[in-house]
C-alpha cells in the first residue's frame, strides 16, 4: 500500500492511498501567502482614499471642521488594506 503526504491543520502527515498522490486540503491552502500581482494604481489608491474620507464624513453627518481628520484616517485605513 502506498502513502501520500496530506497537509491539514496539524501539519503534514502520511496517509495510505491507492493512488499515491499528494493532496492539499483547504485548511492548508488558506495558510499559503497571497501574492499581489502588481502595485496598485496611484489613481485607484487616491479614489479609495476619497471614498473612505467621504463615508467617514457621512457617518458623522458632514459636520464641518473634521475634513483633515477624515482624510488622514482614510489614508491610514487604505494603507492598512493595501499592506
Amino acid at each position: 500500500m502506498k502513502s501520500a503526504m496530506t497537509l491539514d491543520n496539524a501539519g503534514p502527515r502520511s496517509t495510505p492511498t491507492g493512488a499515491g498522490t499528494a493532496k492539499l486540503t483547504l485548511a492548508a491552502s488558506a495558510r499559503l501567502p497571497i501574492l499581489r500581482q502588481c502595485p496598485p494604481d496611484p489613481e485607484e489608491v487616491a479614489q479609495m482614499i476619497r471614498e473612505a474620507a467621504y463615508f467617514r464624513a457621512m457617518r458623522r453627518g458632514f459636520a464641518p471642521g473634521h475634513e483633515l481628520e477624515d482624510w488622514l484616517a482614510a489614508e491610514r485605513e487604505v494603507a492598512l488594506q493595501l499592506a
Side-chain angles (χ1 to χ4, degrees):
M1 178 182 275
K2 294 184 179 185
S3 68
M5 291 300 292
T6 301
L7 296 177
D8 60 15
N9 286 336
R13 61 184 167 86
S14 252
T15 57
T17 64
T21 59
K23 294 180 181 180
L24 184 65
T25 65
L26 183 59
S29 65
R31 293 183 292 200
L32 297 175
I34 298 173
L35 301 177
R36 180 176 275 290
Q37 296 296 323
C38 58
D41 177 48
E43 185 53 40
E44 184 180 348
V45 173
Q47 182 62 31
M48 292 170 70
I49 294 169
R50 284 191 292 271
E51 289 176 6
Y54 174 84
F55 286 118
R56 285 178 164 281
M58 184 177 72
R59 282 193 299 266
R60 58 176 178 68
F62 297 104
H66 299 278
E67 295 82 5
L68 180 60
E69 178 184 329
D70 291 338
W71 188 267
L72 296 175
E75 284 181 336
R76 286 190 301 272
E77 179 182 317
V78 170
L80 286 174
Q81 289 175 2
L82 295 176

